[in-house]
Amino acid sequence: MPAMTAVDADTRAGAGVPGEAVGPLVRGVGVLRRLAEAGGRLSPSALERATGLARSTVDRITATLARMGHVRLDGRDVVLTPGVMELGNAYLAALRLPALLGARADALADELDESVSLAVADLDGIRFIHQATRRRALSVSFRIGDLLPAERTAPGALFAAEWTEADWTRWRARRAGDPLDTHFPAAPPRGEPAVPPRDEPAVPPRGEPGGEVAFTRRVERARRDGWALDDQLIEPGLVAVSVPVRDPGTGRVACVASVVSHTSRHSAADLRTSLLPRLRAAVAAMEDDLRTAPPPEPRPAPAGLAAWTTASKHELGRDFVESLARGLTVLTAFGEGRPALSLTDVARATGLSRATARRALLTHEHLGLVAAHDDRTFTLTPRVLDLGFPPLSRTSLPRLAEPHLRALANRVHEPTALAVLTPDGTEIQYTAGAGASRVLTVRITVGARLPAAATSLGRVLLADTGTPPAHGLTEVRAQGYALVDEELESGLRSVAVPVRDRTGRTVAALNVATHAARRSLEECVRDLLPALRATADHVQRDLHTASRFAQVTPS
C-alpha cells in the first residue's frame, strides 16, 4: 500500500479505498476529521457538504458517534465531546513521551516565562504532543494534535536531518500538490506568490522559507549544529528555537523540544544566545528521564467493547453503524504498556473476531492511523490526534460542564451552577450555570461572587480544603454534599456536591437551587441529590478524559 503524505486526508465516500477496507469506518473517520477542522462544531448539512456524503449517511454516522460519546447533538449542530479524546489519549499513552517529559517542559516554560512545546514527526510534517503555554493577550495558539509542514518549523529541520530519499520524494510531492499549505488547518496559508517582472525569478510569498534550497540548507545546519531556529517561518513575529530529544536506545530523534516566543520579546538571535543553553540543559534532563524510566506496566484494555456494540445495535437498529463503532474501538486497544499489538492481541483486547479486527486494522492503515511492522505488529500513528483532539485540547472546566448543567436543569426544572473557591478562600465565584423556565427562580451571573461559608457550593469546597476540615464542615465532607436552608437569602435552598480532578482533589462544586415553597429539605436530598451526583459524575468523567494529557483550566 503506498505511503500517504502528511496532508492526505481525503476520506470521502470510498475515494481510493482498498477492497477489504470497512467503508462505514472510512466515512466515520472523515466526519470526525471534518468536525475537528471546523473547530468541533458543524451542522449536519455542513457535514454533508464537507464530506460529500448523503444526509442519511451523515445522520447515521453522527447517531453512532453520539452513542459512543464522541459527539453530542446540540440543537441543529453536531459537537465534538471530550469522549472522542479517548482515541488520541490511546496514542499519547502508548507513546509515553508526554507522560515522561511533560513535567520538564512545563518547568522550563515556568523558568523562562515562554511557551514550550514537544513535537513528533508525522511523515513530512510535525505534530505537537505537549504544550506548555503562557496566558498572555499575545500568546501562541498551537494545540496538542496540531499539524504543521516540516519546512516552516524549527522541529521540521531536525526531523528532516534523518529523512531518507523516499521521505524527501514524498515531501516534494506534497509541496507540488499543495503549494499554499491549504491542508494544514493550524498553519496560516502561505499566500499567493507575487508575480515577478519578465525574466526575473518568482518572489516567494510571505512566510515562504525559500523553497527546497533554503529548507535543505536549514536541514544541513540543524544536522551540523544539533539545534534549529524558526525565524518567522510560520508567520511574522513568531520565533522559536528547537533541540532534539534522542531515544537512548537508538540515538534517533524521539521528539523535539521548542521554546516559542514573539519578536517583541525575543529576536531570533536572542533566542539562540539567551534561551538555547537552558533549553539544551532541559533536553539533557529529558534524555536522562528516558534512559532511566522503568518499563511501563500495561493497563488493562477496555473490556466488553464487542458486546457493547452488539447491544447498541439491537437497541438502536439501523441508526447504529456497528462496523464504525467496532472499527473505532480497535484504536482504544492500544495504550500505556501496549504500544505495539499483534492482530491476536487486538482481537483479544476488543472481543472482536480476528477477521473483524483485521479489516479494521487494514482500514486504519489505509487512513494513516495505524502502521504495520515487519514483526506483524501494529502501532498507532500521530494522525490519530486528527480525530477531534486539537479543538478540545485547550478547554476549560466551565466549557466541559455547561452541557451537563443544561441537561440537569431541564431534568429537575431548577437552576444549576458551577463555582470555584477564590484564592483567599473566603468567597466562591460562579463560572457556569443553567437556568430554569420559572417565574420565581435564582439568577446569578457568571463571575459573581458570594460568601463561601453561606452557600452550599462554598461549604463543599471549604470542607475539602483543610485537614481536618474547618469547624462545622466535618459532616459535609463525610456525607459528600452540603445542604443550605435559607441562610444566604430567605426562601433559598440549595444542595451542592464536589467535582474532583484525576487525583481526587476537589476543584469545583456543582449545585441545584430551589425555593423553600417548592421543595422541602427532605425532597432536596431525595429528589435533587441523586441527579446532582449523576451530573457531577458526568462532568468528572469528561474532566478526567480531557485532562489526561491536556490542560483544563478551572475557569
Side-chain angles (χ1 to χ4, degrees):
M1 185 177 299
M4 298 172 67
T5 70
V7 296
D8 183 4
D10 186 5
T11 57
R12 298 190 179 191
V17 179
E20 290 189 278
V22 182
L25 179 56
V26 173
R27 294 186 281 273
V29 166
V31 166
L32 288 176
R33 281 177 165 160
R34 298 293 92 78
L35 278 169
E37 291 168 2
R41 177 186 288 264
L42 280 176
S43 68
S45 58
L47 273 172
E48 183 182 358
R49 292 190 298 270
T51 60
L53 299 172
R55 176 59 182 270
S56 59
T57 302
V58 169
D59 290 343
R60 293 182 66 215
I61 287 173
T62 54
T64 302
L65 295 175
R67 177 71 170 192
M68 299 182 74
H70 294 342
V71 306
R72 60 182 170 85
L73 305 180
D74 186 3
R76 295 184 177 181
D77 289 343
V78 181
V79 183
L80 291 174
T81 69
V84 79
M85 297 179 77
E86 290 288 9
L87 304 176
N89 284 346
Y91 163 73
L92 295 171
L95 184 66
R96 293 192 78 201
L97 294 176
L100 293 175
L101 308 181
R104 295 279 187 191
D106 295 344
L108 181 63
D110 291 339
E111 176 190 344
L112 303 179
D113 194 26
E114 298 290 353
S115 296
V116 174
S117 65
L118 300 176
V120 295
D122 188 349
L123 298 181
D124 57 332
I126 69 115
R127 197 178 292 270
F128 295 111
I129 59 168
H130 184 81
Q131 288 282 355
T133 57
R134 303 292 88 187
R135 299 188 71 179
R136 296 193 181 101
L138 186 63
S139 61
V140 178
S141 62
F142 292 131
R143 308 158 300 183
I144 296 173
D146 276 341
L147 177 70
L148 298 179
E151 68 276 11
R152 294 175 65 186
T153 68
L158 292 163
F159 288 121
E162 297 182 342
W163 281 1
T164 64
E165 187 54 40
D167 295 324
W168 282 102
T169 299
R170 177 173 52 232
W171 174 76
R172 294 185 188 101
R174 187 263 294 166
R175 276 177 56 85
D178 183 28
L180 302 182
D181 291 343
T182 57
H183 289 95
F184 291 88
R190 294 178 188 271
E192 296 289 347
V195 178
R198 184 177 297 178
D199 301 327
E200 291 187 17
V203 179
R206 192 178 192 186
E208 165 65 63
E212 181 171 350
V213 173
F215 183 46
T216 54
R217 286 175 179 169
R218 290 199 297 114
V219 171
E220 287 304 318
R221 286 198 300 270
R223 183 183 291 114
R224 179 193 66 216
D225 299 338
W227 55 273
L229 198 64
D230 172 356
D231 188 359
Q232 306 179 77
L233 297 174
I234 283 289
E235 67 178 15
L238 185 68
V239 291
V241 62
S242 300
V243 173
V245 180
R246 298 193 177 274
D247 186 300
T250 66
R252 294 179 61 83
V253 179
C255 67
V256 170
S258 303
V259 177
V260 186
S261 188
H262 52 83
T263 51
S264 59
R265 291 178 58 82
H266 293 281
S267 67
D270 188 34
L271 286 182
R272 182 172 63 250
T273 57
S274 63
L275 301 189
L276 178 58
R278 286 184 277 183
L279 175 58
R280 278 178 156 164
V283 165
M286 291 179 184
E287 292 177 339
D288 285 340
D289 291 341
L290 293 181
R291 191 175 298 109
T292 59
E297 294 186 7
R299 291 189 178 184
L305 296 174
W308 178 86
T309 59
T310 300
S312 296
K313 181 65 175 178
H314 288 322
E315 181 178 343
L316 299 181
R318 186 178 180 278
D319 288 337
F320 185 78
V321 186
E322 189 173 14
S323 57
L324 167 59
R326 289 187 166 187
L328 290 177
T329 62
V330 162
L331 299 176
T332 63
F334 299 83
E336 186 175 352
R338 305 189 309 277
L341 299 177
S342 67
L343 172 59
T344 300
D345 293 333
V346 171
R348 183 183 302 117
T350 58
L352 300 173
S353 69
R354 282 175 55 89
T356 300
R358 177 178 174 275
R359 289 192 67 201
L361 288 167
L362 287 174
T363 305
H364 288 314
E365 185 182 7
H366 162 71
L367 296 173
L369 302 172
V370 163
H373 302 281
D374 292 339
D375 62 356
R376 295 189 175 185
T377 62
F378 298 86
T379 58
L380 299 181
T381 74
R383 195 164 309 168
V384 173
L385 295 173
D386 271 344
L387 308 184
F389 205 94
L392 295 165
S393 67
R394 190 171 291 174
T395 190
S396 65
L397 181 55
R399 181 181 170 189
L400 297 181
E402 281 169 356
H404 301 296
L405 293 178
R406 291 198 301 269
L408 176 61
N410 291 337
R411 178 180 174 184
V412 300
H413 307 291
E414 300 285 5
T416 67
L418 183 79
V420 296
L421 203 61
T422 57
D424 64 6
T426 62
E427 294 180 310
I428 60 165
Q429 182 172 13
Y430 286 84
T431 57
S437 298
R438 289 184 179 275
V439 175
L440 182 62
T441 188
V442 178
R443 288 188 177 90
I444 300 178
T445 59
V446 170
R449 295 189 176 195
L450 292 175
T455 63
S456 61
L457 291 161
R459 290 184 184 179
V460 164
L461 292 165
L462 291 171
D464 281 353
T465 57
T467 303
H471 177 69
L473 297 178
T474 303
E475 184 179 1
V476 172
R477 176 182 287 188
Q479 65 191 12
Y481 71 91
L483 181 64
V484 169
D485 182 26
E486 302 187 77
E487 294 185 35
L488 183 67
E489 184 175 332
S490 297
L492 180 64
R493 287 174 176 159
S494 66
V495 57
V497 297
V499 175
R500 305 181 189 277
D501 65 13
R502 292 177 59 84
T503 68
R505 181 174 63 96
T506 296
V507 293
L510 181 67
N511 86 336
V512 174
T514 188
H515 190 273
R518 287 203 295 267
R519 299 180 192 268
S520 67
L521 292 177
E522 292 76 13
E523 288 171 330
C524 287
V525 174
R526 185 191 68 204
D527 300 335
L528 298 182
L529 183 58
L532 186 61
R533 280 177 161 160
T535 300
D537 288 342
H538 293 320
V539 174
Q540 287 176 165
R541 180 194 62 205
D542 284 353
L543 174 61
H544 297 174
T545 299
S547 62
R548 185 173 180 187
F549 294 104
Q551 183 181 15
V552 177
T553 56
S555 60

